[in-house]
Amino acid sequence: GDNDVSQTSLPLPHPAIPIENIPEEGFSHSDSECSTAPWCISVPSFSTVAARLNLAWSAKDYTRLIIQALDELGYGRSADALREESGLSVNHPAIAKLEKCVLEGEWDEAEEHLGHLWPRDNQDSVWALYTVRRQRFMEMLQGGNVDAAVEYLQKRITPLGLEASKVHDLAMRAVLSHQTLLPPSASRGGVVAGQDRGVVFSQLCSHMPPHMLLPKHRLRTLIHQSLDFQAAQCCRGDTDGPWACLLVDCCPVPLPNVPAVSLCELEVHKDEVAAPARCFL
């Protein structure tokens, strides 16, 4: 009848293969869990769907993109429900802890969380440590603790092995601070530490790998790329606007005033020919 809902199996172009790293425990629905009511649709587990569709990308990443998109669209409760059901989160748990430590100036704890995000000997890890320690050094100068700042520079920043120009710049700032010659933007009272710390955290985020921290609006970016690609592949004469429909593919639409039928043929010309009146090539 009209109310009957059946589940059909579509043929696949290739045999389904198991997808690795799919959170089996995060998705509880299965083919047998649906009731026999006529309005109930059987919902297979996510891993079953992924195997049927022969997904080449990670189902975990796909789920993370959906959670992020739900949050950005304002569907917080739906995003929370998907987090709980899948057992996944958009970003690495250490990132939220790192943000809290940086904004509150808990520098030792911040360095500890950095160790969970980058390997210790990684070049990005050294850069991240320098970024955090440089901010701590600058706040020492802003607080008037010049001697402590110089000692911190010698014991905690110089051993990082960075280029000498960076260390010399910080040392010069310490000297100028002693002479009260720092510019207003770097003077003791000229910068609010909390604002500086927010910039520091943003700088750290810009170097985090995507499996730790998703780029903002990632799903939206992928959709725009898809729409742009479709628009580039088809010629639409109905409008000059960008293709923005998510429900159907972009299809060519002929221009109404462009002739599509030849009315006459010129056969004796040897070069370019201007079309005579009322004759279209």
Side-chain angles (χ1 to χ4, degrees):
D2 295 337
N3 293 330
D4 292 337
V5 179
S6 60
Q7 185 175 6
T8 60
S9 177
L10 298 177
L12 294 175
H14 302 286
I17 59 176
I19 302 300
E20 298 179 354
N21 299 328
I22 294 179
E24 287 279 352
E25 70 283 356
F27 302 90
S28 59
H29 298 295
S30 65
D31 294 340
S32 61
E33 289 181 354
C34 187
S35 67
T36 57
W39 57 83
C40 182
I41 301 176
S42 177
V43 180
S45 64
F46 191 82
S47 58
T48 302
V49 173
R52 288 180 181 176
L53 297 179
N54 195 16
L55 302 182
W57 30 259
S58 169
K60 285 185 177 181
D61 291 345
Y62 187 53
T63 307
R64 292 173 63 204
L65 290 176
I66 295 175
I67 295 174
Q68 183 193 55
L70 289 173
D71 277 327
E72 292 174 349
L73 292 171
Y75 300 116
R77 288 184 296 177
S78 298
D80 291 338
L82 185 52
R83 285 190 189 93
E84 181 179 358
E85 186 176 5
S86 65
L88 300 173
S89 59
V90 174
N91 299 324
H92 193 284
I95 293 179
K97 298 177 181 178
L98 174 64
E99 181 181 18
K100 178 178 181 296
C101 292
V102 170
L103 295 182
E104 296 181 0
E106 299 174 354
W107 304 116
D108 292 332
E109 291 81 358
E111 290 191 19
E112 181 180 350
H113 292 305
L114 286 177
H116 298 295
L117 299 171
W118 288 290
R120 286 293 182 182
D121 297 333
N122 185 279
Q123 183 177 1
D124 287 335
S125 175
V126 175
W127 174 86
L129 284 173
Y130 167 74
T131 301
V132 169
R133 292 177 183 180
R134 180 185 184 279
Q135 175 65 17
R136 187 173 186 176
F137 169 83
M138 293 300 298
E139 290 190 11
M140 288 180 179
L141 294 183
Q142 293 171 9
N145 300 321
V146 180
D147 293 337
V150 171
E151 182 180 2
Y152 185 79
L153 174 63
Q154 295 172 342
K155 295 182 178 180
R156 301 291 289 172
I157 298 180
T158 303
L160 292 176
L162 300 169
E163 54 267 29
S165 60
K166 293 185 180 294
V167 178
H168 290 167
D169 177 71
L170 296 181
M172 183 60 64
R173 288 176 178 270
V175 173
L176 294 177
S177 180
H178 256 310
Q179 300 175 1
T180 64
L181 295 177
L182 279 177
S185 61
S187 63
R188 297 175 187 175
V191 176
V192 180
Q195 294 176 348
D196 277 351
R197 293 169 182 174
V199 173
V200 169
F201 180 71
S202 297
Q203 292 173 344
L204 293 173
C205 288
S206 66
H207 283 71
M208 290 182 185
H211 69 274
M212 294 286 188
L213 177 68
L214 279 183
K216 290 184 178 180
H217 316 304
R218 181 56 184 164
L219 185 57
R220 186 189 308 177
T221 300
L222 291 174
I223 291 176
H224 280 302
Q225 290 174 354
S226 174
L227 295 176
D228 291 341
F229 175 79
Q230 289 194 46
Q233 302 304 311
C234 78
C235 178
R236 296 179 301 121
D238 57 333
T239 178
D240 294 331
W243 181 250
C245 182
L246 300 178
L247 305 182
V248 296
D249 291 337
C250 181
C251 298
V253 178
L255 286 169
N257 297 324
V258 174
V261 179
S262 298
L263 300 181
C264 60
E265 296 182 3
L266 302 180
E267 299 179 351
V268 296
H269 65 284
K270 297 181 179 180
D271 204 343
E272 296 179 358
V273 177
R278 297 185 180 181
C279 183
F280 298 95
L281 299 179

